[in-house]
Amino acid sequence: MFRYASDQALYFDRPPRETDLAALARIDGVVNLHPAYESTLIVFDPLRTTHEAVERAARLAATAEQRPGRHHTIPVFYDGPDLLAVAEHHSMAGERVIELHASAEYSVAFLGFVPGFAYLTGLPAALHTPRRAEPRQVVPAGALGIAGAQTGIYPRTTPGGWQLIGRTPVELFDPAGDPMSLLQPGDRVTFFPA
Amino acid sequence: MRIVVTSPGMLTTIQDLGRAGHGIQGVSRAGAADALALRVGNRLLGNPEGAAALEMTLLGGTFAFPDGARIVLTGARPAAMPVYQRMEMAPGEECRLGAFVAGARCYLCVAGGIDAPLTAGSASTHLPSGLGPAPLRKGDTLRFHGGGAGSGRVPEELTRYETRIRVTRGAQWAQCNEEVFYASEYEVTTDANRMGLRLAGPAAASGQNGQMVTEGVPLGAIQIPSNGQPILLFVDQQTTGGYPKIANVISADLPNVAQLRPRDRVRFQLVSPEEARRALLGQEELIRQI
């Protein structure tokens, strides 16, 4: 259930959606959490506590009630540079990719990679597509991508290897906001062609 | 009291000890790349350890002090200025750092600490998110508090930096060919910054990507992407990743990483979790002696 990560961090192998992250954050000496799909990385101050003490406290942290989450409807220009490559990969027309992508409801699994990047689950199986063989050095802010069974929007211009099928003008990350990210774990998202 | 930026140098940012607690938003901690150098500089000036200071990269800036100042430089060594010494700047005097002759990051600490606005509890610049003040530009004026006395000397051990980096095993260490990894030298490429350092050397892992479920990545993780060349994740790091992590730099050696320059050659040494903890506690004991 726990794995050593570094001399100031350990993995708690329980899916964050079933974990009371607020309770983990309150553990004495814990300074940060990096949740992902199946685990949460717990970062602590090694001068204030130890792996063993954090583990003991985390075991007692209650299983979370599912938060209902908000629903977001996000406009997308489906004109990404990889739209045709994705369509070809699945032997379907570009319009069909758009129709399928915009028909599903997605859930925010966690935010990671870069500030405000929400990993969305719920991509229709017919659209699952491997990452690009060569990652792009520059993916513009607002680009909507697909990687394997995931879909997501790049909040800022970064390098990236996801297949880009569209873009949105919606601001996903505001450093002055509370919370800073528009999409929060547990939220639901649907896209519509703009 | 004021600092006027005559020239910012290559990349100069305001840093304190960073803002932990926003990993859930995908935001890493930031803060001084060499937190040891920042803390030592502040202690020498009688400041709180986490007082905000300037972090300069490879090429230092030129700064004027219209109202005078007491300052300390720590970390990387500029050619013409002493490090780890309190210096009195007369009103109007200028401090010109130039290129560093050793190390990559030099901290300019001022008595009282720099008075910068706090975002989410920290004055640190986090480059990937735009949190905190922008990197310094020519003509910027910063304020600092002044005052404070400061005393004490720095134990010599805290001013030395090594290219031998101690690590513990990473979460996917079983994928690492440890005989290769710990016997080889790796060169720091020019793609080295606060987010991470790309290294070049013998491939030490099969680098089977896409096999792993994305998980959180700790500070100092050494991950192996598909080309087999290690990436060491640093203070402005991504918070999650899907590449295997073969090793992790121990906390006591993170300052050594902060001082690596492109083309430096490093070696990694595997230590146990107990040794990692002892090294950190030993380092803290020395810091408390200042």
Side-chain angles (χ1 to χ4, degrees), chain B residues 203-219:
Chain B
S206 53
Q208 291 182 359
N209 301 313
Q211 313 289 328
M212 230 190 89
V213 177
T214 293
E215 64 182 16
V217 282
L219 174 63

Side-chain angles (χ1 to χ4, degrees), chain A residues 15-17 34-41 109-110, chain B residues 214-216 240:
Chain A
R17 60 189 174 277
H34 296 192
Y37 287 113
E38 302 300 332
S39 62
T40 298
L41 180 75
F110 64 95
Chain B
T214 293
E215 64 182 16
T240 62

Side-chain angles (χ1 to χ4, degrees), chain B residues 152-171:
Chain B
R153 285 171 48 88
V154 182
E156 205 263 334
E157 295 95 316
L158 297 181
T159 69
R160 270 201 312 256
Y161 292 94
E162 316 246 356
T163 54
R164 180 212 57 172
I165 310 282
R166 289 169 293 180
V167 298
T168 50
R169 280 182 167 144

Side-chain angles (χ1 to χ4, degrees), chain B residues 173-226:
Chain B
W173 67 273
Q175 292 185 36
C176 178
N177 184 339
E178 295 194 331
E179 280 174 23
V180 172
F181 186 65
Y182 294 110
S184 302
E185 268 192 347
Y186 288 88
E187 187 175 288
V188 179
T189 68
T190 52
D191 197 356
N193 54 43
R194 288 176 47 88
M195 285 184 73
L197 297 83
R198 284 181 186 268
L199 309 176
S206 53
Q208 291 182 359
N209 301 313
Q211 313 289 328
M212 230 190 89
V213 177
T214 293
E215 64 182 16
V217 282
L219 174 63
I222 298 172
Q223 57 176 22
I224 309 283
S226 51

Side-chain angles (χ1 to χ4, degrees), chain A residues 102-177:
Chain A
S103 68
E105 185 178 271
Y106 302 92
S107 318
V108 179
F110 64 95
L111 288 96
F113 173 48
V114 294
F117 189 104
Y119 284 76
L120 302 179
T121 57
L123 184 69
L127 291 182
H128 293 188
T129 316
R131 286 173 173 78
R132 286 169 55 83
E134 274 293 306
R136 287 190 170 83
Q137 285 304 307
V138 178
V139 173
L144 169 69
I146 287 178
Q150 318 165 102
T151 189
I153 305 163
Y154 287 83
R156 302 199 27 120
T157 302
T158 58
W162 290 29
Q163 307 276 359
L164 306 181
I165 61 167
R167 64 197 156 89
T168 178
V170 172
E171 279 286 341
L172 290 140
F173 185 81
D174 173 11

Side-chain angles (χ1 to χ4, degrees), chain A residues 17-72:
Chain A
R17 60 189 174 277
E18 297 165 14
T19 304
D20 187 347
L21 294 180
L24 292 187
R26 283 193 301 269
I27 294 173
D28 190 39
V30 167
V31 295
N32 216 347
L33 302 175
H34 296 192
Y37 287 113
E38 302 300 332
S39 62
T40 298
L41 180 75
I42 305 178
V43 184
F44 56 86
D45 178 351
L47 300 174
R48 282 171 54 200
T49 187
T50 61
H51 288 76
E52 293 74 22
V54 172
E55 251 188 64
R56 272 197 303 275
R59 265 179 215 286
L60 301 174
T63 304
E65 291 290 309
Q66 282 272 27
R67 205 172 63 85
R70 293 170 59 204
H71 181 252
H72 308 264

